[in-house]
Amino acid sequence: MKTDIISTAILRSHFFRRYIANGMVALLTFASLPQPLPAASNTAATQIIYFYSPETNINNFSSLKVEFDTYLSSFGAYEFQPFSEQATFEKFLGETSEGIFLISTWHFQNLKTRYPLKPVLVGQLRNRSTQKRVLTTRHDTSSFEKLRGEKIASAGSPAYTRTILRQIYGKENPDLIDSFKIFTVPKDIDALMAVGFGMATAALTTENSLIKLARINPKQHGLLKKLGTTEENLLPIVAVMGKSGNESQELLALMQKMGEQAEGEKRLKMLGLDLLKQLDDRELGMLGL
Amino acid sequence: MRKDMITKKIEALGALMGIVGKRALSATGSVVSRASNVLTRINGVRSLCIAFALHFGLSATAAEPVIMILSSDASVNKYSIAQDTFKETINRVTIDVDLGAESATEPIVENIILDNNPDLLYCIGSKAYFVAKKYAGDKNLVVTSAINWERFKLTQKTFGVANELPTGMQLTFFRYFFPEIKKIGVLYSKKYNKEWLEQTIADGKDVDIEIIGRSVARTKDIKRALTKLLPKVDAVWLTSDPIVLAEKDSIQMIFSKSDELKIPVFAYDTAFASYGAVLMIAADIPTIGQQAGNLAQELLDNSKIDEKFQSPVGSSITLNMKKIVEYGIKLNKDALDSVNEIIE
């Protein structure tokens, strides 16, 4: 029942902020953490795939969780747990001693010195395990310098977006990169269209998304040009922390087979992947291992 | 310690205020409830309290612009989401007013607006806009979630974010999800959407989709128009045309007739999921709040604003897999990376 003009709004606001700040799914996370089973039980503990990516503005948590849980649970006591906030995810990492983590390569590079994560699998899309990120503008933007103070649309977190821009433009432009207003949108394709419709001056997206736009809407694509490109970076990886028991091995094997089955492939597509495969030496080298 | 300091500031400000309607600040956490209690005691009537708040430790200074958020009804989820992302984006002290509260009578709201004399009002929903226009029509007004804003008489200083994604963007998604759907039918009224249809037909060509429009002047024309339209199209696109959507029965009929022929209906809001819409492409509410926050900041900076009403740029997509399987529609599986919600 409504009572207040102002305090109602504030209390709701506070709840919402907490809800978001702590990671929308974190609420679900802890509610759904595996409960320790009695030692006498022969039932294996639930194995969970923990997921977080600063590269995409994942806002379909409930669907991801439901879809992956439905799929995984048909093979055993497996669950999928997405996180919405980097801080919450990292706090969880610091408090756990084992688990399977689906994370972005960029994030792994930041985590690998702090946590004993061992990369085992990598995502693949159209037979490639790497992708480039591109900075796209309209044709009338002649140089990177012209973007000073402008709005850059990106589906990645602001920290991630700035890191990638530094990767593209090196260290000589720190103040320029700091001057950008990062405009977070839900999807790469939104970012590209934000530029097309004049709501942002540039977009940072994967090169695949730009190719996709060219295929779907050549006119929109025609309004855009690439201003900069990153080196090839690996697609998301699966890393294991702690003891990798039989159950973990079985789950990893299942993850590798997902792309071969229609139902598994459908779930991976929701993450923008065709399949997960074992990392080879070249790919491990790209991770600095 | 920090909280104590903030609380002291709040208490001091509250004591200075003394009556309803003086300048207020917004806040979070325990500070809010403590501040609310203080002000409740001061005002004596809880329903009239204005909570002082310090948004993440920001302190109010005389130079701070006064930003007021008027929500048509803060209990509406999409309004509260827009409000929160606006606040996160603007990252300044705000005064939050819930017009949906029982105690939000017009004289009280008028007092709050006049006494606080805001520099800018963020109006969420049509009701909020009309209130702001009436009592602060000379101020900068940023409006979102206002249905039919196109038909409002806007003040010179009214700016905002529209409710629906640009048609070109929606068509791009139609093409992305269903590459084999080439002909999309639209029921529309010439009175409200003649120009819109012309633009949409042109946008459709960009993505190789033919838009077939069938006009309706009155709600009772819908059945006949639909009967003529359905045999010619691969899908029906339900837009927010006031004539087409005037009656619930008509909406139900559009869905049931389309369902009989296994023709998918695309819609602009997830509210149509229960009717059996196959693809719903709505504007992403947090992105709208963020856009409103950016717009407000630009107005406070006296930046030049090119467009009075921006298009929303973030999308929120719901896909009904159950209907896709039932109708045997070919879905581009790669497009699943863009789905926010799947209905199984």
Side-chain angles (χ1 to χ4, degrees), chain A residues 2 4-5 187 266 269, chain B residues 73 98 101 315 334 338 344:
Chain A
K2 292 174 191 170
D4 303 345
I5 302 176
K187 309 169 178 77
K266 181 180 137 194
K269 290 278 189 193
Chain B
D73 186 343
D98 177 11
S315 59
D334 284 350
S338 296
E344 292 283 7

Side-chain angles (χ1 to χ4, degrees), chain B residues 180-197:
Chain B
E180 291 185 354
I181 286 184
K182 302 285 185 189
K183 291 180 180 181
I184 297 181
V186 181
L187 294 173
Y188 74 103
S189 60
K190 283 184 180 163
K191 184 180 174 187
Y192 296 110
N193 281 316
K194 188 169 173 283
E195 293 81 13
W196 175 88
L197 187 81

Side-chain angles (χ1 to χ4, degrees), chain A residues 1-14 16-17 20 57 59-64 67 125-126 151 181-187 189-191 193-194 197 199 212-213 215-220 262-263 265-267 269-274, chain B residues 27-29 32 46-47 49-51 55-56 73-75 80-81 83-84 87-88 96-98 100-104 108 166 169 172-173 175-176 206-207 284 287 290-291 294 298 310-311 313-317 321 333-334 336-342 344:
Chain A
M1 184 177 152
K2 292 174 191 170
T3 51
D4 303 345
I5 302 176
I6 290 174
S7 55
T8 307
I10 290 173
L11 288 171
R12 182 171 292 106
S13 165
H14 171 59
F16 183 80
R17 184 170 291 111
I20 290 294
N57 185 3
N59 54 5
N60 56 346
F61 303 100
S62 53
S63 269
L64 274 178
E67 288 293 327
L125 180 65
R126 290 189 190 86
K151 231 178 264 170
K181 295 168 195 152
I182 307 299
F183 181 43
T184 310
V185 293
K187 309 169 178 77
I189 207 137
D190 293 335
M193 285 196 269
F197 287 105
M199 307 313 305
K212 206 184 288 175
L213 183 68
R215 223 173 34 238
I216 311 165
N217 193 334
K219 192 180 170 191
Q220 276 285 319
E263 286 301 303
E265 186 197 18
K266 181 180 137 194
R267 273 72 181 187
K269 290 278 189 193
M270 291 178 76
L271 300 173
L273 302 173
D274 287 338
Chain B
T28 59
V32 173
R46 183 170 161 72
S47 64
C49 85
I50 291 180
H55 184 58
F56 290 114
D73 186 343
S75 68
S80 64
I81 292 172
Q83 177 167 343
D84 281 299
K87 289 168 74 139
E88 279 166 22
D96 305 347
V97 180
D98 177 11
E102 282 171 7
S103 50
I108 288 174
M169 196 164 167
T172 302
F173 279 118
R175 177 83 173 75
Y176 183 35
D206 295 342
V207 289
D284 180 60
T287 311
Q290 192 189 172
Q291 284 180 260
N294 287 332
E298 286 166 14
Q310 303 178 356
S311 293
V313 290
S315 59
S316 175
I317 297 177
M321 286 300 284
K333 280 192 259 174
D334 284 350
L336 289 170
D337 68 351
S338 296
V339 177
N340 295 73
E341 198 182 337
I342 292 181
E344 292 283 7

